[in-house]
Amino acid sequence: MKNTAIVLLLILNLLIAINGYGAVTSVGEINVVGETKGIVPASSTVPLIVTLVIDRSLAEPGEEIKVIEITMPSGFLTQSSYFKGILRDRNPIVARAVVSGGNVLRVELADIINDFQNSIYEITFDCQTPNTVILEATFRVRLRNRDDAPIGEFIRPQQADGKLNNDDFTLQVIPNVPPDPVIGFTAEADTTGENDVTLRWQKSDDPDVNGYLIYRDKENPINVKDRSSTTFREVNVFPGDHTYQITAYKTLFLQSEHSAIQIVTVSEDTAAPEPPMMLSITTSSDGVEITWKPSASRDVITYQVQFSASGTGGLQPLPDGEIGATPEDELTGYTFIDSQTLSIGSFTYAVIAIDEADNKSAPIQKKLRIFDKPYPNPFTPLSSDEDFNQVVFPARAIEDASGEFTVHIYDIDGMLVKTLTALPGETKLTWDGRDEAGEIVESGVYVYQLQIAENFKTGTVIVAK
């Protein structure tokens, strides 16, 4: 058995040697800094970033990393002074750059990599592009050990930076001819009370244009990455006079001339945001869960959860009830848990949206009724009002009980009409007046048995069509 294992290990090592791959596995890609497409203009100097995922979890002796070598295609040139640095898992590490023949960049690490981690490496450097058009210029990257021997084959191209961009080791060189200036550019301030500016222009006819750069005052430009775009709305512009210009670009380093300047006067933001949408209130063992969808207004920065109990006055903000707007939650929706213990009664929850100028939307609100017996009773299944077209059975009808929560509903003759079973954590069950077949039952008196574990309580509910 031992001899068999040794033979298998020898065969595995032989296969590795034949295929040229060691136990260190790597994938990577090259991108132009700030760009999503691997396009560069001819006869230019552009910043490049090489991203590598290097897995040393199975590294063997002799596979310690001392040098990362980048061989550039013909016509691409760099210098040692063009080397900007190297990061390992977003942290800078010490290295120096040595250029051989103008197109081989050797990044020599001060400390040999000999641990067994899976890490992401990012190497940035400037590069001069050739003066000819190249449809596919391929870069090659390989690792070298302390003896300057290669570790495996050249690194395979594959997404390494977690972004949707070039995802390859090739670049395209295009003619160094900028696109024509953008025409029809206009800028208009909002007239409804928002401090927004709407920008419009005519789409470029140049098929090589990849997007537009909008310049406001002396700020960094706004990158509109869709070449078919003809409008952009800038939200929350600081009140006052502003200048706008636009360029079309093939790459960020190959732009058209700037358009004529447009001057816009922006007023203070006085418009209240649109209210949040789709408010939902549910109770559980953790408290009251309030969920909602975001406001349609794009300048909302905060949502505020408010609360009131019947007979205690108007809505008041809940402690810790201010939720900052985030891009992720704007897509998926928001959730807030009110952990306070509520007694029996009627309560109102509301959510408002607040913008950067502290303008507040109207509230979206919903009532929560907590009773120790079924409510409403009687109820009307055919009503369009959800407060009256279903009956709610509260778990607190049985005090100090825990376990499986069910409700059995019988007609006056003792025949089982419907069984309701709560999910874990649910504190109420709802009956819409339908039987197990989904048909609305006849008007009349129905007997319920509310049960939690071995504890139960019986009573009657009235269905009135």
Side-chain angles (χ1 to χ4, degrees), residues 2 30 95 103 109 118-119 143 155 166 173 204 213 230 234 257 321 415 423 438:
K2 182 178 179 180
I30 190 168
N103 72 330
L109 307 179
N118 186 341
S119 295
L143 308 176
I155 294 175
N166 194 35
V173 183
S204 173
L213 294 175
T230 58
E234 188 178 16
E257 294 182 1
M415 299 294 294
L423 296 173

Side-chain angles (χ1 to χ4, degrees), residues 40-46 77 127-131 174 176 251 253-254:
V40 295
S43 303
S44 302
T45 300
V46 295
L77 299 173
C127 184
Q128 296 173 337
T129 63
N131 56 13
I174 63 173
N176 195 344
T251 79
F253 310 96
L254 192 58

